[in-house]
Amino acid sequence: MIILDGKKTSNDIKNEIAAEVEKIKKRGEKVPHLAAIIVGNDGASLTYVNAKVKSCKRVGFESSLYRLPNTVSELELLDKIEELNQNDDIDGFIVQLPLPPQIDTQKVLNAVDPDKDVDGFHPTNFGKMALDMTSFIPATPFGILELLERYDIPTKGKHTVVIGRSYIVGRPMSILMGRSGFPGNSTVTLTHEFTKNITQITSQADIIIIAVGIPDFLKAEMIKDDAVIIDVGITRVPNDEAEKGYVIKGDVDFDNVSKRASYITPVPGGVGPMTVSMLLKNTLLATERHKKRAKERIKANQ
């Protein structure tokens, strides 16, 4: 059994991005700029956004953080998004989820300029991804693809079972694993809370990607020997014996499943660190695209 080390892989990617930023600086060009909007004081969201800011600093990106109160109106948030859309200095930005109940999340995500949507949630980017066109791939699925590629895990002709159908992980993964190319060319089964006889399906899977938010959902008896297990789940489970009063659990019963798997991601330290790195990679891609378009505009005006 081989651990898919997201922490190490994420560090490798950050080093590669930092090297690219150095080249950009030597050419005297503008360095990538990633911004984030966060609403309220959700602990997990704050931790995640702070990790992004720290990572930006490490690779040499500019970063901006816009904090809005929990009471902010939908209109005020949309105004802030439009301000960032119009700011040519910002290459990409994200709106940290979840948002408070007074705000329509889909309306907010739709308001982000698709060319700056480095989270890959805009319908334009999602549609392009589904059509195998160049687009921003959502950061978590992008990170999973990168892990599969860097560990050279065969996906062609394999049966991939995706558990969970969120637009952030499950649905995009089901599309990406079935696309032409590597990682891809899998036969994909998308399962969810209403899937009957799920063990019958998972026990036939060569690759299982799970994102349901239910700790220890996937048990050893649900998989076949040598399956590849990608655990996207991350839940704080109360535990009086733990120093923080909780332990972090994935969707996979790691101790038992790891005895049968060929490859498995740990929680924490698996998919999580990859998400931030791929967000940085998307921002670098956004910077390159904006640069290319600016050159094309100058050429067209000459």
Side-chain angles (χ1 to χ4, degrees), residues 146-161:
E146 197 78 12
L147 274 176
L148 292 171
E149 188 174 339
R150 290 187 183 230
Y151 278 86
D152 202 24
I153 294 169
T155 58
K156 186 179 179 181
K158 300 294 183 183
H159 182 196
T160 297
V161 171

Side-chain angles (χ1 to χ4, degrees), residues 95-109:
V95 181
Q96 183 63 39
L97 303 179
L99 293 169
Q102 75 270 20
I103 292 167
D104 181 338
T105 298
Q106 198 54 57
K107 194 173 178 181
V108 163
L109 296 177

Side-chain angles (χ1 to χ4, degrees), residues 44-62:
S45 293
L46 283 167
T47 302
Y48 188 45
V49 168
N50 286 334
K52 289 169 186 171
V53 172
K54 200 174 167 184
S55 294
C56 281
K57 193 175 180 182
R58 182 186 153 180
V59 300
F61 280 14
E62 292 286 332

Side-chain angles (χ1 to χ4, degrees), residues 118-153:
V118 288
D119 251 341
F121 293 158
H122 194 281
T124 298
N125 283 320
F126 202 97
K128 282 183 173 180
M129 177 197 69
L131 293 168
D132 225 353
M133 295 166 69
T134 301
S135 68
F136 294 119
I137 297 172
T140 301
F142 197 5
I144 294 168
L145 293 180
E146 197 78 12
L147 274 176
L148 292 171
E149 188 174 339
R150 290 187 183 230
Y151 278 86
D152 202 24
I153 294 169

Side-chain angles (χ1 to χ4, degrees), residues 191-205:
T191 66
H192 47 77
E193 61 187 305
F194 300 115
T195 301
K196 290 179 181 175
N197 304 320
I198 194 163
T199 299
Q200 204 175 325
I201 299 166
T202 56
S203 61
Q204 296 171 26

